[in-house]
Amino acid sequence: RNGETVTIGIPTGLESLDFALGGGLSEGVITVLGGRPSMGKSSLARTFADNVSAAGHGVHVFSLEDDRQPYVQRALADGARIDLHALRALALKDGETGAFISAADHLFRRANWRIDDRAGLSAAQIAMRVRRHKRELGTKVVIVDYLQLMSEKGCRDRRAEVEKALRGLQELARAEQIALVVLSQLTRGNERDGRPPALHDLRESGEIEQVAAAVLFVHQEQPKDAAGKECGPLRAEVIIAKNKHGRRGVPVPMAWDARCATYRTLERDRAPEW
């Protein structure tokens, strides 16, 4: 109300998604973020991390697949509003260098964002690292990218390993009262047919559905004409398949900014002002 957007969780910076979730990312629980390869789930996680950190909340990212560079580069491109590929190639245009320097200064002044890129961590190792740095960062959000790359010893098979990892992360979220976002792969069937993902497409689906308080899917679709030729802008959405604290079964349209490899709220879908 009075022109201010009200949230009861940790805002992702994407207002329409925060509204649909019932106030943003919920503390003390796990939110699962799934999507097919190249659908932008890691980009959405990076958007969350950057926006949450910029809003003053501590973020601890565990990037088990890539090193920290993609997170830093995406944040710099977004902050400077410059092309990500040009930034990576060090091919900035006239006038962009100053914006880049300013964005880098703002980013590296933040003391509340840590990116841990060690591969093969277990839930116990992640918990130890989160607790070690929680006071320093003021950690409110932890992102694990992604679940199937975690490593748990003493398990009889891959399903048992995933279950152990999830339970360990769930205990961490509850004990430390942090919002924990876990990225997850989908089964191959969804990749083949190209339809929007659903809960049963999650790999090790049953355990993930049971543990997660919310399940989000990233889906992108390129419109095609009658001849099958790509036409028009890319359509992107976040599908809320499960949500204990807000709306579910609804797609939330997103604007995909390919230049900066980030997501933005569509202006027409901004959250209402209460």
Side-chain angles (χ1 to χ4, degrees), residues 32-44:
V32 169
L33 174 58
R36 299 197 308 273
S38 302
M39 282 291 120
K41 61 179 181 294
S42 289
S43 292
L44 184 59

Side-chain angles (χ1 to χ4, degrees), residues 116-166:
D116 195 322
D117 55 8
R118 180 178 173 183
L121 293 176
S122 67
Q125 290 172 316
I126 288 174
M128 179 184 67
R129 290 168 182 242
V130 168
R131 291 182 173 118
R132 181 189 302 162
H133 298 287
K134 185 180 179 185
R135 179 174 295 181
E136 166 198 346
L137 300 175
T139 308
K140 287 291 186 181
V141 174
V142 172
I143 295 173
V144 179
D145 185 4
Y146 55 90
L147 174 64
Q148 285 79 13
L149 289 178
M150 293 178 63
S151 179
E152 302 289 343
K153 295 181 179 178
C155 297
R156 65 185 181 277
D157 55 31
R158 186 57 187 153
R159 181 175 293 272
E161 195 172 10
V162 168
E163 289 179 5
K164 184 177 180 180
L166 279 168

Side-chain angles (χ1 to χ4, degrees), residues 22-210:
L25 301 172
S26 297
E27 297 174 72
V29 298
I30 289 178
T31 296
V32 169
L33 174 58
R36 299 197 308 273
S38 302
M39 282 291 120
K41 61 179 181 294
S42 289
S43 292
L44 184 59
R46 292 170 194 150
T47 301
F48 286 176
D50 188 18
N51 291 348
V52 169
S53 170
H57 304 289
V59 184
H60 199 150
V61 176
F62 292 88
S63 181
L64 306 183
E65 184 175 30
D66 295 320
D67 60 26
R68 67 191 66 197
Q69 266 193 325
Y71 279 83
V72 175
Q73 290 172 341
R74 196 220 63 84
L76 289 171
D78 189 23
R81 292 297 195 271
I82 57 179
D83 187 275
L84 177 60
H85 296 292
L87 185 154
R88 288 172 173 166
L90 299 179
L92 301 182
K93 300 177 182 177
D94 291 342
E96 292 182 336
T97 302
F100 169 77
I101 292 173
S102 178
D105 181 61
H106 280 91
L107 178 63
F108 291 110
R109 283 178 184 271
R110 296 186 205 166
N112 64 348
W113 191 4
R114 182 178 181 85
I115 304 171
D116 195 322
D117 55 8
R118 180 178 173 183
L121 293 176
S122 67
Q125 290 172 316
I126 288 174
M128 179 184 67
R129 290 168 182 242
V130 168
R131 291 182 173 118
R132 181 189 302 162
H133 298 287
K134 185 180 179 185
R135 179 174 295 181
E136 166 198 346
L137 300 175
T139 308
K140 287 291 186 181
V141 174
V142 172
I143 295 173
V144 179
D145 185 4
Y146 55 90
L147 174 64
Q148 285 79 13
L149 289 178
M150 293 178 63
S151 179
E152 302 289 343
K153 295 181 179 178
C155 297
R156 65 185 181 277
D157 55 31
R158 186 57 187 153
R159 181 175 293 272
E161 195 172 10
V162 168
E163 289 179 5
K164 184 177 180 180
L166 279 168
R167 296 298 178 185
L169 294 176
Q170 185 182 44
E171 290 175 10
L172 171 63
R174 286 177 177 172
E176 301 299 330
Q177 282 299 293
I178 54 177
L180 213 158
V181 180
V182 181
L183 277 65
S184 178
Q185 290 181 325
L186 302 185
T187 58
R188 291 290 178 182
N190 181 261
E191 292 182 33
R192 288 192 295 269
D193 58 32
R195 58 178 168 75
L199 285 172
H200 63 262
D201 292 312
L202 285 168
R203 193 169 290 183
E204 294 86 25
S205 175
E207 189 64 21
I208 295 174
E209 285 182 53
Q210 183 178 348

